[in-house]
Amino acid sequence: MNNEIAKIDGCVTQALRVVARAEAVIANAQSHDFPYAGLNHATRIFCAILATQARELAERATRQVGLVLKDAQDEDRAATVEAFFNDSAAHVDTDVSSMATARLAAQKAFTKMAVDLVGRAELVLEQEQTLDGRQITHGALWYK
């Protein structure tokens, strides 16, 4: 179980970072201060939507192992996870090992999707990509 808790902790750490990044994207998308003053409404809305979805995926990732993201680093998390795996396995009539393997894989997949989604929102917000994902090339004066 210690190995599983270490994997869970890694995903929880990533999920917490995603939530912080998503909240920053949302705040910046709403900002009319430099460097976000020139953004059009479509870009602002798009970035906020992606960031909101990334935050929800990060929260859903921790729920895959029976934890709530805001409480996911509590001291009794191992007992909570173990009880969740046992209850889930009994509910679908399978063994705990299979349930743990499936839930950990789902947690990892949701966390990766959240990381990718918030990264995409950041690239669009920073005007490095268009809304449809194409790279924006800037001239030499862009970075001055």
Side-chain angles (χ1 to χ4, degrees), residues 95-121:
D95 61 293
V96 175
S97 176
S98 295
M99 182 58 68
T101 300
R103 292 283 184 172
L104 288 170
Q107 181 194 29
K108 185 176 179 179
F110 284 156
T111 302
K112 183 181 180 333
M113 286 189 286
V115 168
D116 293 345
L117 204 53
V118 78
R120 173 88 196 292

Side-chain angles (χ1 to χ4, degrees), residues 6-121:
K7 289 178 184 178
I8 290 168
D9 286 346
C11 282
V12 165
T13 300
Q14 278 188 308
L16 288 169
R17 278 188 247 151
V18 164
V19 168
R21 289 170 60 195
E23 289 172 357
V25 167
I26 292 167
N28 291 336
Q30 295 171 342
S31 173
H32 291 282
D33 296 333
F34 179 81
Y36 309 108
L39 294 176
N40 64 40
H41 292 287
T43 300
R44 292 175 189 281
I45 294 166
F46 178 79
C47 292
I49 290 169
L50 290 188
T52 300
Q53 292 301 311
R55 185 178 57 205
E56 289 175 9
L57 274 171
E59 292 168 354
R60 192 173 307 141
T62 57
R63 285 196 304 268
Q64 291 303 308
V65 294
L67 299 173
V68 177
L69 186 57
K70 64 182 176 118
D71 302 325
Q73 294 183 320
D74 287 347
E75 291 300 317
D76 64 341
R77 69 188 175 285
T80 302
V81 169
E82 189 171 355
F84 179 75
F85 286 165
N86 288 329
D87 290 347
S88 297
H91 181 71
V92 296
D93 196 28
T94 190
D95 61 293
V96 175
S97 176
S98 295
M99 182 58 68
T101 300
R103 292 283 184 172
L104 288 170
Q107 181 194 29
K108 185 176 179 179
F110 284 156
T111 302
K112 183 181 180 333
M113 286 189 286
V115 168
D116 293 345
L117 204 53
V118 78
R120 173 88 196 292

